C-alpha cells in the first residue's frame, strides 16, 4: 500500500501567519491527492482535490501544489476557524490511504 | 440535498461482531462507491474499504481483510459495514463517505465501543 507521510505532525501558529504542510507519498501518485480539514467531533471536510484544485466554497487562502511524490497545502493567512487537523489522502490506487495528520494549534 | 445518515452508537463485547448502516439520499445510490473510514479516539483516519453499489464489488484495506465485510442494498439505498472479532483497539468512530472528486460527502459517524 502507498504510504503518506505528513510533516510536521503538529504546528503552532498565529492568526495571519502563512502555513505550509507537506505530504510525501512512498511512490508516485501523479496528482491523485486530496487535503481534508477536520475539527473535533466532526467529519472531515474536503479542501483540495487533484492536488491543486480548490473545492467549491473553500476560501481562496487555501491552496495545494505538487505532483508525483511531494505535495503541499498552504494557508496564506491563518484565520481563527482554520485551527484544526489536516490530512492528505491519496486515491491513485484502489488501496486508498490517509496521512497521519497535522494538528494546527494556536500559538 | 445529499445525505449519508448512519446508524447509532454501539457497545460491543470483545470477540463479537458489529454491523453499521449508512443510508444515502439525494443522489443515485449506484453512481458512487461507498467507502468506510475508521478513526480511533485521538487518532488519524484509516481507510477500511469500499463497495461499488452497482455490482456489489468490494475492495478492502489489508489491515482489515478477513474481518470486515462491506455490502450495499440497492432496494433501500443503504450500505453496511460489518466488523468481526472485535477487540478493544476497534473502539473508534466509523464514517461512511463517497470520497469522490467532485462528490465528497460523509456520514455523521458512528461510535463503536468495545468493552468487556
Amino acid at each position: 500500500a502507498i504510504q503518506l507521510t505528513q510533516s510536521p505532525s503538529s504546528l503552532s501558529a498565529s492568526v495571519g501567519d502563512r502555513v505550509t504542510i507537506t505530504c510525501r507519498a512512498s511512490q508516485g501518485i501523479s496528482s491523485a491527492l486530496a487535503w481534508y480539514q477536520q475539527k473535533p467531533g466532526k467529519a472531515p471536510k474536503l479542501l483540495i482535490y487533484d492536488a491543486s484544485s480548490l473545492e467549491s466554497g473553500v476560501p481562496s487562502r487555501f491552496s495545494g501544489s505538487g505532483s508525483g511524490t511531494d505535495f503541499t497545502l498552504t494557508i496564506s493567512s491563518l484565520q481563527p476557524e482554520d485551527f484544526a487537523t489536516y490530512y492528505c489522502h491519496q486515491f491513485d490506487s484502489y488501496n486508498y490511504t490517509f496521512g497521519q495528520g497535522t494538528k494546527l494549534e494556536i500559538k | 440535498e445529499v445525505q449519508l445518515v448512519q446508524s447509532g452508537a454501539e457497545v460491543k463485547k470483545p470477540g463479537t461482531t458489529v454491523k453499521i448502516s449508512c443510508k444515502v439520499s439525494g443522489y443515485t445510490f449506484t453512481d458512487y462507491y461507498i467507502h468506510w473510514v475508521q478513526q480511533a479516539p485521538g487518532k488519524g483516519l484509516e481507510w477500511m474499504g469500499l463497495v461499488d453499489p452497482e455490482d456489489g464489488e468490494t475492495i478492502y484495506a489489508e489491515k482489515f481483510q478477513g474481518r470486515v465485510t462491506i455490502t450495499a442494498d440497492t432496494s433501500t439505498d443503504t450500505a453496511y459495514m460489518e466488523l468481526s472479532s472485535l477487540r478493544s483497539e476497534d473502539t473508534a468512530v466509523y464514517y461512511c463517505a463517497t470520497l469522490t472528486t467532485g462528490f465528497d460527502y460523509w456520514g455523521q459517524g458512528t461510535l463503536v465501543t468495545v468493552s468487556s
Side-chain angles (χ1 to χ4, degrees):
Chain A
I2 297 172
Q3 309 292 328
L4 296 178
T5 304
Q6 287 182 233
S7 60
S9 295
S10 63
L11 175 59
S12 294
S14 302
V15 172
D17 283 354
R18 179 184 180 89
V19 164
T20 297
I21 298 168
T22 66
C23 179
R24 175 163 289 176
S26 59
Q27 63 190 72
I29 57 172
S30 184
S31 297
L33 189 104
W35 289 96
Y36 287 86
Q37 177 194 68
Q38 188 181 32
K39 295 183 178 179
K42 299 293 187 181
K45 173 188 172 184
L46 180 64
L47 302 175
I48 301 287
Y49 63 92
D50 292 347
S52 60
S53 297
L54 191 67
E55 174 73 348
S56 176
V58 174
S60 59
R61 63 181 179 273
F62 291 92
S63 64
S65 65
S67 67
T69 59
D70 294 306
F71 302 87
T72 60
L73 171 70
T74 299
I75 309 172
S76 60
S77 178
L78 273 174
Q79 299 302 300
E81 60 269 28
D82 299 338
F83 292 94
T85 301
Y86 293 84
Y87 295 93
C88 56
H89 164 62
Q90 71 82 19
F91 46 94
D92 179 69
S93 66
Y94 280 105
N95 212 336
Y96 299 65
T97 48
F98 290 90
Q100 82 278 15
T102 294
K103 187 172 184 179
L104 180 52
E105 298 174 306
I106 301 174
K107 185 184 284 184
Chain B
E1 179 194 8
V2 173
Q3 287 191 304
L4 280 67
V5 178
Q6 298 181 223
S7 49
E10 303 258 14
V11 178
K12 292 291 185 179
K13 294 197 181 301
T16 63
T17 297
V18 68
K19 189 171 185 177
I20 302 168
S21 66
C22 172
K23 182 167 177 57
V24 315
S25 60
Y27 73 96
T28 302
F29 183 48
T30 52
D31 280 354
Y32 299 95
Y33 298 161
I34 293 290
H35 300 250
W36 289 87
V37 177
Q38 179 194 62
Q39 188 169 38
K43 302 296 185 183
L45 304 170
E46 186 114 37
W47 183 78
M48 300 179 72
L50 66 83
V51 62
D52 180 347
E54 186 163 41
D55 58 14
E57 290 219 3
T58 53
I59 299 174
Y60 300 127
E62 191 174 331
K63 175 179 177 178
F64 298 99
Q65 191 88 34
R67 284 207 304 141
V68 68
T69 303
I70 300 174
T71 56
D73 182 346
T74 56
S75 69
T76 59
D77 290 351
T78 303
Y80 298 90
M81 188 281 293
E82 186 173 81
L83 188 62
S84 63
S85 303
L86 290 169
R87 38 213 189 216
S88 59
E89 310 89 88
D90 296 320
T91 292
V93 174
Y94 293 84
Y95 293 101
C96 60
T98 54
L99 278 187
T100 299
T101 296
F103 197 80
D104 190 88
Y105 295 91
W106 292 64
Q108 82 276 21
T110 296
L111 174 64
V112 174
T113 303
V114 182
S115 174
S116 54

